[in-house]
Amino acid sequence: MRAILSGLALLAMLGCAGAPPPRDPPPDVPEDGRVELVTAEHFRLWVSKGCLSGAEAQLLLHELQTARKGLLSRLGSARAPGDFRTPDDDPPRGYRPQAAPRKIPDPIDVVVVPDKGRCHADSAGIMLRADHVARRDGTHELVHYLAGSSWRPIDEGLAVYLTEELWGARRGFTSKVRARVYLDLNLSRPLRPEDLRKGMSRIDYDTAGAFVRWLVESRGAERFWTLYHGAVGNYHTVYGQPEVELWEEFWRYVGNLDVKTKSAYYAYKILLQD
């Protein structure tokens, strides 16, 4: 706590005008290192000393502010900020499009730590690894925070999909192109909730993002939000189709994508085969 206060004092000397009064730091703030607190509209950024330069911190805040605006317009009444009930809760949260949008906590706490652990969002805010900041993981975790928890692969797929919507394809390869490469290299598979509880690979994340995009674009956002906020794996109730049938239809769609003129397809295929 002494280290945190020293960071606050430093900011005060630098003239952080209009900053909100200090409050208890979020639980992800390390206790054994010095931390600087950088404030901006809608966010408080807790940075472990040496993790980010001042310019990098400002870029992250700009990303978060831009993403917050874009995400709220896309989430609408589907948002459930900071609601991290477990996927097995009964009854599930449910989607109520006619209800007033839930209030967004302000400011949202974001903690940046050295290169250890994993990025995540929970009811207290967001935690980012410093070496993942440039990958737009801040936006990815902000999706989780603003949309509330769901179940894999739907929750991770939504974060991949919306991050791509806001900032473009990761490294120039869209999730659809990645999924097609995985299919052609016999790396494709359906993503079942029970198989993903212990973790997801890069292929799983990309596939989930492409799958969620396909669900939203082919069947509409309203039904997707019903799925997202509903019981685990409840595809049949929402879409009138069993899970296995939806995955088969998705992979047929991916297999029919026109990639013959897509340089990104060939480049990503070569990248995976090297």
Side-chain angles (χ1 to χ4, degrees):
M1 179 60 72
R2 185 182 309 163
I4 293 169
L5 292 177
S6 69
L8 294 175
L10 173 60
L11 288 170
M13 288 189 294
L14 293 176
C16 191
R23 69 184 185 200
D24 290 340
D28 285 321
V29 170
E31 296 182 356
D32 58 351
R34 292 193 297 164
V35 179
E36 285 190 76
L37 173 62
V38 185
T39 62
E41 186 178 20
H42 305 309
F43 292 95
R44 296 196 316 168
L45 190 61
W46 302 80
V47 183
S48 293
K49 186 173 178 60
C51 279
L52 299 179
S53 67
E56 288 170 332
Q58 291 304 317
L59 283 172
L60 174 57
L61 285 169
H62 174 71
E63 175 192 336
L64 293 168
Q65 290 173 317
T66 303
R68 180 185 183 278
K69 182 178 179 180
L71 291 174
L72 291 182
S73 69
R74 287 166 171 80
L75 295 174
S77 58
R79 70 196 194 197
D83 187 341
F84 281 83
R85 65 190 71 192
T86 69
D88 297 321
D89 280 353
D90 187 25
R93 180 169 51 237
Y95 173 49
R96 300 172 180 83
Q98 304 306 318
R102 301 185 187 209
K103 185 177 179 181
I104 309 297
D106 200 340
I108 297 171
D109 281 313
V110 179
V111 179
V112 182
V113 299
D115 305 342
K116 59 183 178 180
R118 57 182 294 273
C119 300
H120 66 265
D122 55 30
S123 59
I126 294 169
M127 192 277 278
L128 300 174
R129 282 177 46 154
D131 61 336
H132 286 194
V133 167
R135 307 189 328 182
R136 304 291 189 188
D137 277 18
T139 297
H140 184 104
E141 298 304 333
L142 187 59
V143 174
H144 288 313
Y145 182 80
L146 293 177
S149 60
S150 183
W151 43 276
R152 292 178 173 178
I154 296 303
D155 54 356
E156 295 296 349
L158 177 67
V160 171
Y161 161 54
L162 289 181
T163 300
E164 185 174 283
E165 281 287 282
L166 290 176
W167 300 109
R170 183 170 178 263
R171 298 175 62 191
F173 307 114
T174 67
S175 56
K176 289 197 295 187
V177 163
R178 290 169 185 254
R180 176 56 184 270
V181 171
Y182 301 146
L183 179 65
D184 291 348
L185 294 180
N186 296 317
L187 299 172
S188 62
R189 69 182 181 110
L191 304 181
R192 299 183 178 89
E194 61 271 18
D195 298 333
L196 304 175
R197 290 183 181 268
K198 293 184 178 180
M200 294 174 63
S201 69
R202 181 71 261 167
I203 293 175
D204 294 338
Y205 275 95
D206 295 337
T207 300
F211 182 62
V212 166
R213 177 180 289 279
W214 175 73
L215 285 175
V216 172
E217 293 180 349
S218 66
R219 287 158 170 77
E222 293 301 304
R223 284 204 282 180
F224 174 78
W225 291 128
T226 301
L227 180 73
Y228 185 91
H229 293 296
V232 175
N234 199 16
Y235 294 101
H236 200 285
T237 299
V238 176
Y239 295 115
Q241 294 174 263
E243 178 181 6
V244 63
E245 187 175 302
L246 282 165
W247 277 104
E248 289 173 351
E249 187 176 337
F250 165 72
W251 284 117
R252 284 197 300 272
Y253 157 78
V254 171
N256 288 326
L257 291 172
D258 182 9
V259 295
K260 292 181 179 179
T261 60
K262 304 288 186 183
S263 60
Y265 165 79
Y266 296 103
Y268 194 60
K269 194 172 185 180
I270 291 171
L271 183 65
L272 286 190
Q273 289 176 312
D274 283 348

